[in-house]
C-alpha cells in the first residue's frame, strides 16, 4: 500500500530504541561524553477529536492501531500551542581522525521505542557502532534522546504533549545553539557550520518535518528505516504494542499512553530479518523504550520538504517488513519514490537497500557496509 506523506496515521514508527542505563551503553570510546541542552520551545501540536480513555490500556492500543490502519489518521480537532522549557540529553563524540573542515556534526535521532543508545550498538562492537564509524571518518556526532525517551524522566502527557511536532521544534532550538557563535548554552566544545541529520524510522519522519519547516537548519539528510510504503498490517501484527507500564517495572510510573513492544519475539519479528546476531534482539528488547499515542497518532507535520535543496541519502533494509515490504516493488524503488515525494528539490538524491537486512539496519550483519556507504556519500558531498 502506498501511504503517502499526507497519510499521517501510518506515518509513524519504528525505530530503534531505549534505555535507562545509558552509561552502560556508552561507546567504549574515551572521546564520547554525555551532554545536556536546555531549550525553550513551542509547537502547534495536534488535538485528537476522540482521544482514547487514558486509563484504559486496551482503548489506547485500539486507538493507535486505528491510527495506523486509517490512512488519514485519527480524527483531529485542530491544533493547540504547547510550550515549555525542556532538557535534551545527548551523547557527544568527537572525531578520532581529523578532517579538513572540522565544523561538521551529525545529529543522530532514534526511532520509536528506542533511544540514543541504539546508535552505539548495545556493546556488540564497533561493527554496530555508528559513533565509532562516524568519528573514525572525521565527523563529530551528537546522539540525542527525543522528548520523553531515554534519560528524559519528565513523564509528560503522552497524548497532548509528546508528539513529533514538538520534537522538531526542540531539535530546531538545539541546532540553533550548535550553530551560534560563543553560545553559552552550548555544552559542546565548539560551534558547527554544517549539520547532517541522521534519522532512523520515526526519527526520519521528524527530520522530514524539520527539513520542511527549517530547511536552513540542515546541510544533508540521511533518512534511514523509512519509506512512504509503510505496511500497517506488519506494524500491528508484529510489534504487538502494549502499555509500557504493564510491560516492565522500570516503566511503572509511565501513563498508559506510553506503549512498547509486547515481547522479545514481537520485537525480533518487527525489527529484524535476514542475517543478524541473535543475541542482539534480546539485548534490544531488554533496553526497549516507548512510543506515545501522540507520536503515533499525529504526524501532520511531516509534509514533503519542498525547497530543501541539500543532499539526501535514503536507506532501508531490503527485508524491512515495515517499510520495504511488498510483493511487487523492489526496496530500492520504494526508497527512490520516497525520496522523490518527500525531498522533491534535493540537490542530490541516492538510495541504498542493504540485502539480508531488516528494519534496524545498524543492528544487522550488513551494518558496517551500510555505514561505509553512508559515509562515502557524505564524504563525496563534504570533502
Ligand atoms: C478515518 O479518518 C477519517 C478522517 O480523519 C474519518 O473520516 C474516518 O471516519 C476514519 N475511518 C475509520 C474507519 O476510523
Ligand atoms: C474542538 O475544539 C474546540 C476548541 O478547543 C472546542 O470548543 C470544541 O468543543 C471541540 N470540538 C469537539 C467536538 O470536541
Ligand atoms: C567549513 O565549511 C563551512 C560550511 O561550508 C564553511 O563556511 C567554512 O568556511 C569551512 N571552514 C574551513 C576551515 O574550510
Ligand atoms: C504487509 O505485511 C503483511 C505481513 O507481513 C504481508 O502479508 C502483506 O503482503 C504486506 N502487504 C503489502 C501490501 O505489502
Amino acid at each position: 500500500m502506498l501511504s503517502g506523506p499526507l497519510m499521517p496515521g501510518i506515518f509513524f514508527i519504528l525505530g530503534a530504541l531505549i534505555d535507562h542505563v545509558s552509561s552502560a551503553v556508552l561507546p567504549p570510546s574515551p572521546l564520547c561524553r554525555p551532554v545536556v541542552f536546555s531549550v525553550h520551545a513551542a509547537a502547534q501540536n495536534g488535538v485528537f477529536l476522540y482521544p482514547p480513555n487514558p486509563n484504559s490500556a486496551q482503548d489506547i492500543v485500539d486507538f493507535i492501531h486505528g491510527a495506523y490502519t486509517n490512512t488519514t489518521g485519527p480524527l483531529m480537532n485542530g491544533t493547540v500551542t504547547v510550550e515549555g522549557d525542556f532538557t535534551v540529553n545527548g551523547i557527544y563524540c568527537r572525531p578520532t581522525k581529523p578532517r579538513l573542515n572540522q565544523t561538521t556534526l551529525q545529529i543522530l535521532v532514534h526511532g520509536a521505542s528506542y533511544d540514543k543508545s541504539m546508535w552505539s550498538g548495545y556493546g556488540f562492537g564497533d561493527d554496530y557502532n555508528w559513533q565509532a564509524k562516524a568519528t573514525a571518518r572525521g565527523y563529530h556526532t551528537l546522539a540525542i534522546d527525543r522528548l520523553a525517551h531515554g534519560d528524559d524522566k519528565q513523564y509528560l502527557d503522552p497524548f497532548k504533549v509528546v508528539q513529533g511536532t514538538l520534537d522538531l521544534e526542540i531539535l530546531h532550538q538545539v541546532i540553533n545553539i550548535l550553530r551560534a557563535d560563543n553560545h553559552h548554552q552550548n555544552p559542546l566544545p565548539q560551534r558547527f557550520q554544517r549539520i547532517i541529520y541522521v534519522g532512523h524510522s520515526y526519527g526520519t519522519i521528524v527530520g522530514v518535518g524539520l527539513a520542511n519547516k527549517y530547511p536552513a537548519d540542515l546541510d544533508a539528510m540521511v533518512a534511514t528505516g523509512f519509506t512512504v510504503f509503510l505496511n500497517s498490517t506488519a506494524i500491528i501484527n508484529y510489534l504487538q504494542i502494549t502499555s509500557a507500564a504493564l510491560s516492565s517495572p522500570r516503566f511503572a510510573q509511565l501513563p498508559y499512553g506510553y506503549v512498547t513492544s509486547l515481547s522479545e519475539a514481537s520485537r525480533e519479528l518487527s525489527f529484524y530479518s535476514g542475517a543478524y546476531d541473535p543475541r542482539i534482539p534480546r539485548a534490544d528488547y531488554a533496553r526497549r523504550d516507548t512510543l506515545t499515542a501522540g507520536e503515533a497518532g499525529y504526524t501532520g507535520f511531516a509534509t514533503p520538504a519542498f525547497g530543501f535543496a541539500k543532499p539526501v541519502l535514503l536507506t532501508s533494509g531490503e527485508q524491512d517488513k515495515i517499510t520495504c515490504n511488498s510483493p511487487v516493488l523492489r526496496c530500492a524503488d520504494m526508497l527512490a519514490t520516497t525520496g522523490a515525494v518527500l525531498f522533491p528539490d534535493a540537490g542530490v538524491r541516492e538510495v541504498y537497500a542493504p540485502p539480508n537486512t531488516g528494519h534496524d539496519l545498524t543492528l544487522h550483519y550488513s551494518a558496517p557496509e551500510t555505514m561505509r556507504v553512508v559515509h562515502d556519500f557524505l564524504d563525496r558531498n563534504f570533502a
Side-chain angles (χ1 to χ4, degrees), residues 66 69-76:
T69 309
N70 190 337
T71 55
T72 53
L75 288 172
M76 304 301 298

Side-chain angles (χ1 to χ4, degrees), residues 44-273:
Q44 289 302 119
N45 272 10
V47 179
F48 300 122
L49 184 57
Y50 304 119
N53 175 353
N55 301 312
S56 165
Q58 187 58 50
D59 231 37
I60 290 163
V61 167
D62 291 345
F63 173 84
I64 294 173
H65 284 174
Y68 289 140
T69 309
N70 190 337
T71 55
T72 53
L75 288 172
M76 304 301 298
N77 183 15
T79 61
V80 68
T81 303
V82 174
E83 181 166 9
D85 295 315
F86 303 96
T87 56
V88 180
N89 298 290
I91 295 178
Y92 163 67
C93 306
R94 67 180 172 82
T96 53
K97 177 200 141 194
R99 286 183 74 75
L100 222 52
N101 192 325
Q102 290 281 355
T103 68
T104 306
L105 173 89
Q106 297 179 15
I107 186 160
L108 313 178
V109 184
H110 63 84
S113 81
Y114 286 80
D115 70 13
K116 63 185 178 315
S117 67
M118 66 166 281
W119 300 106
S120 58
Y122 303 122
F124 286 87
D126 282 0
D127 278 356
Y128 305 103
N129 188 329
W130 191 288
Q131 287 125 313
K133 291 277 188 277
T135 57
R137 297 282 293 250
Y139 294 90
H140 300 253
T141 63
L142 173 66
I144 58 105
D145 283 333
R146 284 190 293 101
L147 183 66
H149 300 298
D151 294 328
D152 185 353
K153 296 289 181 287
Q154 301 174 85
Y155 307 115
L156 297 168
D157 185 306
F159 304 99
K160 298 176 181 148
V161 177
V162 185
Q163 297 187 4
T165 322
L166 184 51
D167 271 333
L168 87 81
E169 297 294 345
I170 289 172
L171 278 167
H172 172 62
Q173 297 302 331
V174 168
I175 290 168
N176 281 348
I177 291 171
L178 291 169
R179 285 185 182 275
D181 239 339
N182 301 320
H183 202 295
H184 65 283
Q185 282 170 289
N186 187 358
L188 273 52
Q190 66 174 82
R191 67 183 286 230
F192 295 91
Q193 288 172 298
R194 293 190 300 207
I195 307 279
I196 297 165
Y197 190 99
V198 183
H200 183 240
S201 201
Y202 192 90
T204 291
I205 296 173
V206 172
V208 172
L210 185 67
N212 167 285
K213 188 161 182 194
Y214 303 109
D217 277 10
L218 306 176
D219 296 283
M221 169 70 59
V222 179
T224 86
F226 183 69
T227 71
V228 293
F229 299 86
L230 285 194
N231 182 325
S232 54
T233 308
I235 292 169
I236 290 169
N237 292 351
Y238 298 143
L239 197 56
Q240 299 179 32
I241 53 166
T242 186
S243 283
L246 305 175
S247 156
S248 164
R250 71 190 165 89
F251 299 130
Q253 295 181 70
L254 289 180
Y256 282 170
Y258 287 78
V259 302
T260 190
S261 37
L262 177 67
S263 64
E264 204 173 284
S266 71
R267 200 157 186 91
E268 184 167 358
L269 265 174
S270 316
F271 300 141
Y272 295 82
S273 306

